[in-house]
Amino acid sequence: MGKGRLVVFLLFSCLWLVSAFHVCDPERYSQMGLDMSKFAFCDKSLPFNVRAKDLVNSMTLVEKALQLGNQAGGVPRLGLPLYEWWSEALHGVSKTGPGVFFNNTVPGATNFPIVLLSTASFNETLWKTIGQVVSTEARAMHNLGMAGLTFWSPNVNVIRDPRWGRIQETPGEDPYTVGRYAVNFVRGLQDVEGHETADDPNSRPLKVSSCCKHYTAYDVDNWNGVDRFHFDAQVTEQDMVETFLRPFEMCVKEGDVNSVMCSFNKINGIPSCADPKLLSQTIRGDWGLHGYIVSDCDSIEVMYDDNKWLNGVQEEQVASAMKAGLDMDCGVYYQNWTVASVEKGKMRETDIDKALINNYVTLLRLGYFDGAPGYDSLGKDDVCSKDHIELAREAARQGIVLLKNDNVLPLTPAKFDKIALVGPHANATDAMTGNYAGIPCNSVSPLMAISGIVKSVDYEVGCQDVSCNNDTMLFPAMEAARKADATIIFVGIDNDYESEGHDRYGLHLPGYQTQLINQVAIASSGPVVMVMMCAGGIDISFAQNNPNIHAIVWAGYPGEQGGPAIADVLFGDYNPGGRLPITWYKANYTDAVPMTSMQLRPNDELGYPGRTYKFFNGSTVYPFGYGLSYTQFSYNLVSAKQSLLVKLGRLQHCHDDLDYVPDVFMPPCRSVLVDDMKCEDVVDMEVQVSNTGARDGSDVVMVYSRPPTHILGMPQKQVIGFQRVFVRAGETETAKFSLNACKSFGVVDKAAYLVLPSGTHTIEVGSGSGSGSASADGSFTIPFSVDLQKEFV
């Protein structure tokens, strides 16, 4: 290609910087001196897979290799521009990754609360709506040349250990809840109205492309000399199926996510990005992915530099990853080494062809080649709109969790002439935005918000920052509390303590923060409210049990509208209804088990406790699902099926691999493989939720199942459904649940089979304010009998 034509190509490669760009624009080809009609991949009458195959078949091997990285190099002679695949949108369009940038045209994007806080709302409609808003802003920025169309979000790793630095990015410790978040957020990002399903899913148009990551068993970043680049996660197949794989399976099968990202770590000795069982066999084969698989950035380089995988031979490494089913390398190893790998006979060129076809079908579905008329008109006015900013505030309000209230909250502004705001997070803005954030539209700190509500505010930081390395600022904070009518203490941690690459070593507040809280509480002349900003749980037993601290609120990292959202809750404009999506352990938990132990069930031999609410039976600071309200709710069961008879056919066999407590009755047919069942049986249940208090409010109705008590090694209970229900004071609403019997009562046995056990299961219905058993909050349990009958010949 001559220099003149190359200049024109580069100009039109960057045309999307100023307008909605699409590859197959006749005028664009004409100005490059090319005849678009000669390129079948621009023929809109052909199916996407045919067009993608034609494009790939038109390339040389060298050209193909250059398209395999996150920065796909383009092919000038075909009119194919470069494309940057790496953009992020975890809780708003992010500045992480080279695919997004901000400037004077779009200086920021709506910054929603961290994922963990949004999850605490337990509101599936909210999760999907956030995804829709984020994708609208992403598409608008793409039209302005400031973002790509492929966003590597969400993070759906299950939280196994409270020390993990990336807890804020994920939807919690319950696999089902994580999966439901993934399904809704992905649908919000990807779905084009009217095209939610299709006979050929690979032809279904996409608003933007989403990616569920990091696959899988990844939750160690940098702890005690062990980092994610070298960590070999030793995981049982039972834990893989039951916990680590389930959210990804739901994301692919129910969310129809377009992409999955494999993680850095090894799993049982094999790098996840080079494991054919995990990639091609499971993601694409068993689950039916419609899209592409991408590596976490530089994962193949990590195989070479850190793991010496396959004796440290680059051609072998890229071949093993490609043949395992990895379509794209976020990095340059594919681009640098695939040609040599093919030439040395380590892999076939057709392996590259299949990968590139998967990638380009994605771009065709996004309208990158043909345009997207429904979205091409989006522009700067669709970013940081008033409605989007209000949704960020509402998301934070819905997620905020009331942990303690000695009849102090909500505060009435007219009763307090002066309020003291103390602590390192009282004027937080950057800390509120969390990890993987973009540039917010307009961050409003708690100090700014509360100053607009009450007559007078006295602000003292108390600590220079969250490290709180000295006590020199404590006395002014105590004096402010002594002179004020009420005191609000804002404490916690930030990205320096918990984020990517930063795992924690303990569960205490840093430095002198505990001393700050206790001394301010003693000095205060009025009620004391403590607001926690953190993601992972912190042992605040001292404050929980301190009569001088009258209320505690968890606000996570609440996003750019965190200040107004917190104020809405504290001063009664919003009744909190959030529930903790993780267990808050006591500090000694970290002494009992190393972070690198992957096992979920207790290890009696080593004295390790269980992990998550499903297997941990020790005392906690706050349990999973906990949260209070300014009103009271009661439950009444309207209807529920309480038994299921399953008559097994000739080809359905009793599965007897479950272990029972010695000397108890064992059913003749202990269980049946779920894969051998049609799984059409549904348990319909209606629960009336009555607001018996004086304030309107929302309650989260949590539904758990408990397996038959005599089966060994099973979860104590597991979430099978939830609904957030708004109920006006003195009124009643009905929550309806349709529980699939296989999914709700199935368990994973030690051989990693998903089975439906015979016997009496228990359905537990409750809010997060009680223990989950029958209690004053109206929680209750229902016995549910599963009878498996097999005619034995």
Side-chain angles (χ1 to χ4, degrees), residues 2-74:
K3 291 183 179 179
R5 182 178 294 183
L6 179 59
V7 169
V8 172
F9 169 78
L10 292 174
L11 173 65
F12 278 89
S13 290
C14 298
L15 185 64
W16 58 281
L17 294 176
V18 292
S19 63
F21 167 85
H22 60 278
V23 173
C24 295
D25 178 352
E27 182 180 353
R28 173 179 173 274
Y29 269 82
S30 176
Q31 294 193 30
M32 288 189 293
L34 298 172
D35 182 356
M36 195 182 81
S37 66
K38 293 182 179 180
F39 301 105
F41 60 82
C42 280
D43 185 347
K44 296 181 183 180
S45 69
L46 297 175
F48 288 160
N49 63 323
V50 173
R51 294 173 64 183
K53 186 174 186 297
D54 177 76
L55 173 59
V56 174
N57 288 345
S58 300
M59 299 180 191
T60 66
L61 175 59
V62 171
E63 289 169 340
K64 291 174 184 177
L66 292 176
Q67 316 314 313
L68 289 170
N70 60 286
Q71 188 174 81

Side-chain angles (χ1 to χ4, degrees), residues 413-419 450-457 485:
K415 291 183 178 180
F416 303 101
D417 289 333
K418 178 181 285 188
I419 289 183
I450 294 171
S451 295
I453 296 173
V454 299
K455 294 178 182 178
S456 175
V457 169
D485 300 310

